[in-house]
Amino acid sequence: MNGVGVMGVAGSPPRAAAHDLEWVRDGAAWPLNEYSRFVTAGGVDWHVQVLGRGPVALLLHGTGASTHSYAPLARALADSMTLIIPDLPGHAFSRVDDRRTLSLAGMRDAVTALLGALDREPALVIGHSAGAAIALELVAARGPAAPPVVSLNGALLPFGGLPGRLFAPLARGLAGTALVPRMVARRARRAGVVERLAAGTGSQVPAESLACYRRLARSPAHVHAALAMMARWDLVPFAARLAQVRAPLALVVGTADRMVPPADAERVAARVANARIHRLERLGHLAHEEAPDAVAAICRATLEDHDDDSC
């Protein structure tokens, strides 16, 4: 794997408050840290990992995760693709002050600025859960030349019924105070809490990844960013625009996903002209962590099919 050294682009990592993630203290335990660098772009102090060789693939994690979630998949893809994997704004080691950046449009614009700073244009965009919505927003802005998207258990449709009406107001209330993130982070220090949350995804999370989730959940700043992101996440207009998506879309679905209903993929595919569903039996919401080789094969095939169609 070809990579770039720590802090390969700009300056040094930002300082963190007590109990929050700090690269000097926590970075040594982060998967693929030898490929980490820090870049300032779009109002965000980014932590981003760049590794591999070949066509460029951008990997966007979901709410509350970080670059670590893609480590197993990155190891499987790095021999055939150049991978750009950022911590989303406010998550893990990426710092942001403007909460408006945590909206869907704000994330799209911030990631666009990061790609500009890195002088890279992706040939493939991979997004997990909420990261899949960012991926589709990103390619929609690129018109007919948009790259294909791989959605990993993508959260692409709004919650229905009463939960949908209550979700955003509740998230806004929880994100509006510093007390709640501190309480959540303190509770996450109790034995078994994070393990139960991981089991609730329907996935068997690898030990390396579970250790990172424990550290993330104990960081008030990370928890606050996740809540603030959910508070600003409006998928109603986004879902209405799905019919306008022209980019090839691979919908990877873990049939045991307990976070995003697997049946949602059928509803999305009915709206997107160039969509194809790939079902991974008995895998959960974190299927890319459980079965990276199977997901990598889908990613490669999606890119190769697009290249063949473009010839």
Side-chain angles (χ1 to χ4, degrees):
M1 292 187 292
N2 298 327
V4 228
V6 174
M7 292 168 279
V9 170
S12 58
R15 296 286 298 178
H19 305 300
D20 283 326
L21 287 160
E22 185 170 9
W23 187 256
V24 173
R25 180 186 62 223
D26 303 298
W30 227 247
L32 302 179
N33 58 32
E34 65 269 34
Y35 302 106
S36 290
R37 51 168 81 176
F38 290 86
V39 183
T40 298
V44 181
D45 293 325
W46 294 92
H47 167 241
V48 57
Q49 296 180 334
V50 183
L51 66 151
R53 57 178 178 267
V56 174
L58 172 67
L59 287 73
L60 302 171
H61 66 74
T63 309
S66 81
T67 58
H68 85 276
S69 179
Y70 278 124
L73 182 60
R75 294 183 182 114
L77 286 175
D79 62 345
S80 57
M81 298 183 194
T82 299
L83 309 175
I84 299 176
I85 316 172
D87 284 336
L88 290 180
H91 288 62
F93 301 101
S94 288
R95 306 280 183 256
V96 65
D97 292 327
D98 191 343
R99 292 185 185 180
R100 291 174 296 183
T101 305
L102 301 177
S103 67
L104 182 53
M107 291 277 192
R108 175 201 65 206
D109 293 345
V111 171
T112 299
L114 172 64
L115 291 171
L118 294 173
D119 194 22
R120 301 293 181 100
E121 189 67 24
L124 178 70
V125 185
I126 302 168
H128 171 243
S129 195
I134 303 171
L136 285 172
E137 278 283 292
L138 197 68
V139 303
R142 280 160 167 70
V149 172
V150 177
S151 164
L152 306 176
N153 291 309
L156 303 175
L157 297 175
F159 291 117
L162 183 61
R165 292 194 296 272
L166 293 178
F167 179 76
L170 177 61
R172 281 194 292 272
L174 294 175
T177 171
L179 178 61
V180 172
R182 286 200 297 268
M183 291 174 60
V184 172
R186 190 177 302 116
R187 178 173 174 76
R189 298 186 188 109
R190 298 179 184 176
V193 170
V194 174
E195 287 77 3
R196 287 192 293 273
L197 289 172
T201 67
S203 288
Q204 294 183 359
V205 182
E208 177 188 55
S209 185
L210 191 58
C212 292
Y213 281 120
R214 287 193 198 99
R215 187 64 190 89
L216 291 170
R218 295 168 185 175
S219 164
H222 177 84
V223 172
H224 183 269
L227 290 172
M229 182 176 170
M230 288 187 286
R232 287 161 179 77
W233 216 244
D234 186 0
L235 289 181
V236 174
F238 170 82
R241 295 194 301 272
L242 281 173
Q244 302 169 16
V245 173
R246 294 294 177 264
L249 174 61
L251 294 161
V252 180
V253 182
T255 61
D257 188 352
R258 297 179 189 170
M259 304 293 289
V260 175
D264 276 6
E266 298 281 356
R267 297 168 60 199
V268 172
R271 303 184 190 194
V272 178
N274 200 2
R276 180 181 177 186
I277 298 174
H278 303 264
R279 291 183 176 83
L280 298 178
E281 299 297 330
R282 297 181 296 278
L283 296 180
H285 191 60
L286 302 172
H288 58 295
E289 298 187 24
E290 296 180 278
D293 290 338
V295 173
I298 295 170
C299 293
R300 290 193 197 94
T302 300
L303 181 57
E304 289 168 3
D305 290 347
H306 179 64
D307 288 344
D308 290 344
D309 292 342
S310 300
C311 293

